[in-house]
Amino acid sequence: MGFPRDPDTGAMWAVLLVAVGLPALLYAGIARFTGHGRGGGAVWRPLQDRLYLVCALLAVAGHAGASVVIDGWGDVFGFTPTAFMSGSFSSALAYTVSGDQRGRALRPMLLPLTPYALALGFFGHVAG
């Protein structure tokens, strides 16, 4: 268990996951605040998106699992920031890739983002 407990490994994975999610979050955020969705469609509304909730819940589960494995509840990273970040990143990435309502067929294919949320919870805890 030395490898998962290494703070450098956790920090590296957390940074890689953020690097993947941050551009999508910026794009979706700009669409949200300007009020112009993709192709004239609906703007990004993460709190109305079920994928956001699923990813946030899985991030909490990932954080809880990491806490049990590493023997330290809470620590610096906490439940709420982890759930918020992973839910936001995953929802924004789904919006960016699948777009507006016409992209509904692609959204189930984006459910592999849930392991991404869990990984962010785990490695975020390790890095914290």
Side-chain angles (χ1 to χ4, degrees):
M1 290 299 293
F3 179 73
R5 291 183 184 210
D6 181 26
D8 292 333
T9 303
M12 178 191 70
W13 280 106
V15 166
L16 288 175
L17 291 170
V18 168
V20 170
L22 193 57
L25 185 64
L26 290 174
Y27 175 84
I30 290 169
R32 174 74 177 105
F33 290 117
T34 60
H36 296 30
R38 290 185 60 187
V43 298
W44 183 56
R45 291 185 173 88
L47 298 180
Q48 296 175 4
D49 188 1
R50 277 186 252 154
L51 184 64
Y52 181 91
L53 179 62
V54 168
C55 292
L57 289 174
L58 282 174
V60 171
H63 186 280
S67 299
V68 170
V69 169
I70 297 171
D71 295 329
W73 282 95
D75 288 345
V76 177
F77 216 72
F79 284 103
T80 306
T82 305
F84 177 76
M85 284 194 312
S86 63
S88 294
F89 287 173
S90 300
S91 179
L93 191 54
Y95 175 81
T96 301
V97 174
S98 68
D100 53 27
Q101 300 299 329
R102 293 172 292 181
R104 281 187 179 175
L106 186 59
R107 293 178 72 80
M109 294 168 38
L110 291 170
L111 283 178
L113 289 175
T114 53
Y116 164 83
L118 193 136
L120 185 61
F122 182 82
F123 287 112
H125 180 78
V126 173

